[in-house]
Amino acid sequence: MNYQMLHEKFERRKQWLIFEKEEVVRRVMIRYKARIIPKTDIMDLVNDDQLSYDHIFCCLTIDDPRMIDKIFTEKEKKDHRWERDDNARRGMVYKHKDEAHRRYNQLILDEMEGRRLDIIFESKDGKFVTGFLTRDMSTQVASYIYAHTGAAKFTGLIPRALWPPDVTDEEFKLSYRWYLEALEKWKKL
């Protein structure tokens, strides 16, 4: 991949690649038929080490079977089949304290076994998406979101102080390359 050429294209088009958080959510909802869920439904978010719970502004879920079939790669689907088989072999049975815990355990099982994908958005500045998670991983969805969130970071609209604190220069360069690849994949350049 010619990163210099992609960088030059980005520099010429960057003003059209900056999306505020509401627009990112809107585009993801339309493209993937996602729907909003309360962040309290995902009980372990409060302990997440990648996002700040207080700054999580939106959670989406994709659970339409036709859309689920489209968003996972063959390898991701294979991993989900392995999880389903493993859970069936072990006879996974959860004990539930209450209905909320039963729903949460089912959510986790559905994520692991590929029946749903949950997306969590964070905004530390209140204007742009500063971080996101896709649970369970879909490289397609993550790439799409990154193509719509990276410009605010790489143009300096989101100060580096709001990025994860462990971003080194090497990680920054790698992250920028991933962003350029996502832009190219989604024909944004």
Side-chain angles (χ1 to χ4, degrees):
M1 190 154 297
N2 185 339
Y3 292 103
Q4 183 59 39
M5 180 194 65
L6 294 177
H7 169 72
E8 289 167 9
K9 285 182 175 183
F10 169 71
E11 284 297 318
R12 286 192 302 274
R13 295 182 175 105
K14 63 185 173 188
Q15 68 270 21
W16 295 291
L17 298 171
I18 298 167
F19 302 101
E20 292 185 1
K21 64 183 185 166
E22 293 83 4
E23 181 62 15
V24 173
V25 169
R26 187 187 75 75
R27 287 175 180 232
V28 171
M29 288 180 73
I30 290 169
R31 179 171 200 86
Y32 296 109
K33 298 180 183 172
R35 58 187 172 79
I36 296 173
I37 61 171
K39 72 179 179 180
T40 53
D41 283 3
I42 308 173
M43 292 179 170
D44 62 337
L45 281 181
V46 81
N47 298 319
D48 187 82
D49 61 352
Q50 296 178 55
L51 301 178
S52 164
Y53 188 78
D54 292 339
H55 294 104
I56 293 171
F57 71 93
C58 184
C59 295
L60 301 177
T61 193
I62 303 169
D63 57 4
D64 178 285
R66 291 177 308 242
M67 188 57 64
I68 286 292
D69 191 50
K70 294 177 185 177
I71 64 173
F72 291 116
T73 65
E74 285 308 312
K75 183 192 178 317
E76 291 163 347
K77 289 177 186 179
K78 182 180 175 187
D79 291 344
H80 295 141
R81 280 190 298 275
W82 185 91
E83 286 288 348
R84 283 191 299 274
D85 292 346
D86 186 56
N87 288 341
R89 261 191 313 276
R90 293 186 300 133
M92 294 295 289
V93 177
Y94 291 102
K95 303 220 188 249
H96 313 296
K97 292 184 204 176
D98 53 32
E99 181 59 21
H101 282 85
R102 186 201 64 75
R103 284 192 314 271
Y104 170 69
N105 287 337
Q106 187 62 52
L107 177 148
I108 295 296
L109 200 57
D110 289 344
E111 286 176 348
M112 288 173 35
E113 295 183 355
R115 287 183 295 274
R116 77 183 281 158
L117 176 84
D118 293 315
I119 306 163
I120 298 94
F121 292 102
E122 168 196 75
S123 177
K124 290 182 178 176
D125 67 355
K127 187 171 184 176
F128 299 106
V129 173
T130 56
F132 70 92
L133 293 174
T134 57
R135 294 172 37 149
D136 191 48
M137 184 59 183
S138 165
T139 53
Q140 179 193 134
V141 174
S143 172
Y144 183 80
I145 295 170
Y146 203 39
H148 289 83
T149 60
K153 290 180 180 180
F154 295 114
T155 58
L157 292 174
I158 299 173
R160 272 191 93 177
L162 295 182
W163 293 35
D166 60 349
V167 175
T168 65
D169 286 333
E170 272 311 303
E171 287 177 21
F172 177 83
K173 289 176 194 173
L174 186 58
S175 182
Y176 185 58
R177 283 184 167 198
W178 288 336
Y179 173 61
L180 293 174
E181 290 170 7
L183 288 176
E184 181 71 4
K185 175 181 179 169
W186 296 101
K187 299 182 183 354
K188 297 290 181 189
L189 293 177

